[in-house]
Amino acid sequence: MTGQLSLNAFIYPAGHHEAAWRHPSTTPERIYDVEYYQQIARTAEAGKLDAIFFADSPSLRTEVAHNAAGRLEPITLLTAVAVATERIGLIATASTTYSEPYNLARLFGSLDHISRGRAGWNIVTTGDPGAAANFGLDAHPVHAERYARASEFVDAAVALWDSWEDDAVVLDREAGVYADRTRIHEIGHHGRHLRVRGPFNQPRPPQGHPVLVQAGASNDGRAFAARYAEAIFTAHQRLADAQAFAADVRDRAARLGRRPEHVRILPGISPFIAGTESAARALQQEFDELTVPAYGLAQLAALTGTEVGEVEDLDLDGPVPARLFADAGDVTDNGRSRLQVVAGIVERERPTVRRLLRRLAGARGHRVVAGTPEQIADTITEWFTAGAADGFNVMPPWYPGGLEVFVEAVVPILQQRGLFRTEYTGTTLRDHLGLPRPVNTLVPSRHRTGA
Amino acid sequence: MTGQLSLNAFIYPAGHHEAAWRHPSTTPERIYDVEYYQQIARTAEAGKLDAIFFADSPSLRTEVAHNAAGRLEPITLLTAVAVATERIGLIATASTTYSEPYNLARLFGSLDHISRGRAGWNIVTTGDPGAAANFGLDAHPVHAERYARASEFVDAAVALWDSWEDDAVVLDREAGVYADRTRIHEIGHHGRHLRVRGPFNQPRPPQGHPVLVQAGASNDGRAFAARYAEAIFTAHQRLADAQAFAADVRDRAARLGRRPEHVRILPGISPFIAGTESAARALQQEFDELTVPAYGLAQLAALTGTEVGEVEDLDLDGPVPARLFADAGDVTDNGRSRLQVVAGIVERERPTVRRLLRRLAGARGHRVVAGTPEQIADTITEWFTAGAADGFNVMPPWYPGGLEVFVEAVVPILQQRGLFRTEYTGTTLRDHLGLPRPVNTLVPSRHRTGA
């Protein structure tokens, strides 16, 4: 599969466009219905996509007054999807800031067992003040501290998954020996932020450990990605920026002794697809006209780390005040990466507030494209062949139709070009992404020698 | 359904008998296979049982060398079961000691949404030193502190589930209003152990909140149960003890202004079932002979809070030393309730160590019975009609066969006697248990008046 694209479906309740829930083609009354997500996952699987993906935050983040923003917890939701599908990978976001490695490793380990090796974990830190208040804190920990904890958290989680050697369960009924205790290890993680003794209470997951995914473009974020990430979700508006990012991350990974092809770089792309380019643009326009300015302003405030009160009276037809980007607060790393993208838009295009809100409405700073299936396939091909992307995190503006048209019209073109699989060749998410099953770091040398 | 029995299937990987995994009728190679549990749940549903139930601990508790003791995380597992069943209730144990209300409320809220109202939460505190070491602590918090935190934890979780009024989602596409923000509330929980602001990030669960279950017979445990529990799992060997316990808990609940019938008391029962009583006893004997003394001794040490080193050299054919029970450590409340039961056995029966280990092998201190289907139905009927139980937490000695024979042979007798449903009459776990959907405590009076 080397040289093949990866394609994920990033699932957002009614779609990534902020007004999708108002559009007649969506069914926002189904966004708490598990069958809705099972159906979407089956569409992604029919398209032979690598994975579906859910974002997450332990708080009510977006302004639910004007968007279908409540959501089910993603790991349980993916578990329900796992048993209704066969091959599609299942990636959930989960924060290292407000959970414990033992608890989270159990959830993802179970998802990997239940799905027979299809789990992925999008590792994030949480910098949302609303989340801090849900966990007994007055303010969220600062950026660098969050990354230090995240690093320890992943080390501990991987060690827990490794704490049972692959052949720890011997199941010798005759002798009365279920597991070989010499192959189940304490992990003894003693860090500055976390102490975890282990061992884990379930066998090593089918994939060794779930695929580790990361989304963040700050310096801390890139350093973290270079060390841990097997796939990176990223936000870029322009090919050159994406190329520079990809080159930097691959270089950092190589300097840490990793093979750059084991870090799959997947920018977001939100495609409006129609039979002609002008029909696609008209469709986008239709969605844009359903936006609610109060919602867009609240999103802009959250993105820039400003108070809603500071943006709610902005003249929609006036220029975007530079101060919003000059003094951005301590946003999340994922937010930070999108913030850079949006600051770039403001600098280059000098939009009015209304125009900027429209730009953000599509996919919160991710790249929105409108065109024919051929045109969408062309831009995907261009970025892929130019080394800017190993694939894409596809963000349909509306669900389920926006994914259906991508799968029915764009995927076949990519397949005809030999860039994308026509059938799954493996059963695990690692197989789909071309990633190796990780070596178990806790196996003592005497067991390696004996193997 | 008043006056009807409740029956749960308490699922243990290969069965509740500690040697079940060695018996030829079990399939311990399937205990990490989700389809194994889906099949068991369908059997329970075919028997019209109220619920299936999983125990849990955030540590590797039992001696995995001699028992099939690794396990998947129960909430994810129940989610996978939820979408493969229609009616059966889904109860998972989860600790309040090493998790956060916001995280756990999301998992159970999602399970309740995904299952369309079939979730139950068995609330426990964790007093296992092995668990403490997995969460950065040198020792686990003392019993009273754990209960104080548990109480705050449940208050906060219920408030989170209540933070969206039932009609908060208005979904007015025309006006661009998704939710009525005046019907989504911060909870502002400010306690000694926990601070949680809210609001929650998902709508109120279908059941209002998952059914609250509790298992613990200490004074703290009974006080907690009287206040919160809608169902209680308990361990009793003798009818009189069970009657006294039930009377005490019902009285405590009534004194708090609750209706005693809204606290369903469900002792454990582990039945060996065969065509004749002697065949049932022979079957039990068959399992007992597969026990591994080293495992039983480790369990005895854990139950009594002693070090394994203090029990491993005991003479199996000598008496049980009184010191084991005189000075029991700070075990979990669930463990404490079973400890009392076991201390009673030792006092009454003066067993040898080997005999005590055999008594514990069946169901860790819960009541083990062997007999014909008629005899099993008789003892269930007797306890039910004597007010000692509102039903039972059935603990099949082996899975899946031990549940199958219960459903095929015992349930029909209870149905013929008019004690147990022949068809589900509702769709939620609350319906099955005869429990009301709780009033939302966070709805302001102006909204009640308006309703």
Side-chain angles (χ1 to χ4, degrees), chain A residues 131-144:
Chain A
N134 290 332
F135 294 88
L137 300 180
D138 293 320
H140 55 82
V142 300
H143 194 261

Side-chain angles (χ1 to χ4, degrees), chain A residues 26 56 106 110 136 173 195, chain B residues 26 56 73 106 136 173 195:
Chain A
T26 65
D56 190 51
R106 293 185 70 201
S110 286
R173 286 170 140 163
R195 283 190 300 147
Chain B
T26 65
D56 190 52
E73 189 284 328
R106 294 184 70 201
R173 285 171 142 163
R195 282 191 299 148

Side-chain angles (χ1 to χ4, degrees), chain B residues 52-336:
Chain B
I52 60 170
F53 162 61
F54 284 106
D56 190 52
S57 176
S59 63
L60 185 64
R61 282 192 70 179
T62 52
E63 187 38 76
V64 74
H66 304 298
N67 199 352
R71 57 188 56 197
L72 300 183
E73 189 284 328
I75 303 175
T76 42
L77 194 49
L78 284 181
T79 305
V81 167
V83 296
T85 52
E86 294 287 334
R87 298 293 188 96
I88 190 82
L90 309 159
I91 306 173
T93 298
S95 172
T96 57
T97 308
Y98 298 116
S99 58
E100 292 278 346
Y102 207 93
N103 292 336
L104 198 63
R106 294 184 70 201
L107 293 169
F108 275 108
S110 286
L111 177 60
D112 206 49
H113 280 286
I114 290 170
S115 66
R116 300 188 163 82
R118 295 186 280 140
W121 171 25
N122 179 35
I123 307 157
V124 299
T125 73
T126 304
D128 162 18
N134 291 332
F135 294 87
L137 300 181
D138 293 320
H140 55 85
V142 299
H143 193 260
E145 283 298 300
R146 294 201 306 271
Y147 266 93
R149 179 183 163 99
S151 177
E152 280 196 31
F153 195 113
V154 177
D155 288 342
V158 169
L160 287 169
W161 289 317
D162 281 351
S163 70
W164 291 42
E165 296 182 28
D166 285 315
D167 49 5
V169 175
V170 295
L171 199 48
D172 184 341
R173 285 171 142 163
E174 205 55 44
V177 176
Y178 176 72
D180 177 353
R181 276 304 259 119
T182 72
R183 293 180 190 267
I184 298 178
H185 309 286
E186 292 190 356
I187 69 166
H189 177 89
H190 264 262
R192 199 159 58 81
H193 293 269
L194 294 163
R195 282 191 299 148
V196 185
R197 188 172 76 189
F200 206 35
N201 61 0
Q202 55 182 239
R204 194 166 189 240
Q207 293 188 106
H209 58 72
V211 173
L212 303 181
V213 182
Q214 189 265 1
S218 68
N219 190 53
D220 287 339
R222 291 177 191 216
F224 185 91
R227 182 164 161 210
Y228 295 105
E230 300 177 288
I232 300 180
F233 296 155
T234 178
H236 297 292
Q237 293 282 336
R238 298 190 304 179
L239 177 62
D241 295 342
Q243 283 174 310
F245 174 83
D248 179 51
V249 169
R250 290 184 188 123
D251 181 56
R252 288 173 187 247
R255 274 186 276 138
L256 292 172
R258 298 184 61 199
R259 291 172 57 175
E261 66 269 30
H262 292 167
V263 186
R264 306 288 288 173
I265 299 175
L266 310 174
I269 186 170
S270 188
F272 282 95
I273 305 164
T276 64
E277 184 179 333
S278 64
R281 294 205 180 283
L283 184 64
Q284 181 177 5
Q285 175 85 3
E286 224 177 81
F287 278 77
D288 283 350
E289 278 166 9
L290 292 171
T291 55
V292 178
Y295 178 84
L297 289 167
Q299 292 295 100
L300 183 62
L303 179 70
T304 56
T306 17
E307 297 292 322
V308 173
E310 289 184 48
V311 299
E312 65 188 355
D313 294 327
L314 286 181
D315 175 8
L316 292 176
D317 296 308
V320 177
R323 67 176 160 83
L324 285 182
F325 295 89
D327 188 30
D330 179 30
V331 295
T332 62
D333 199 58
N334 184 22
R336 184 179 295 230

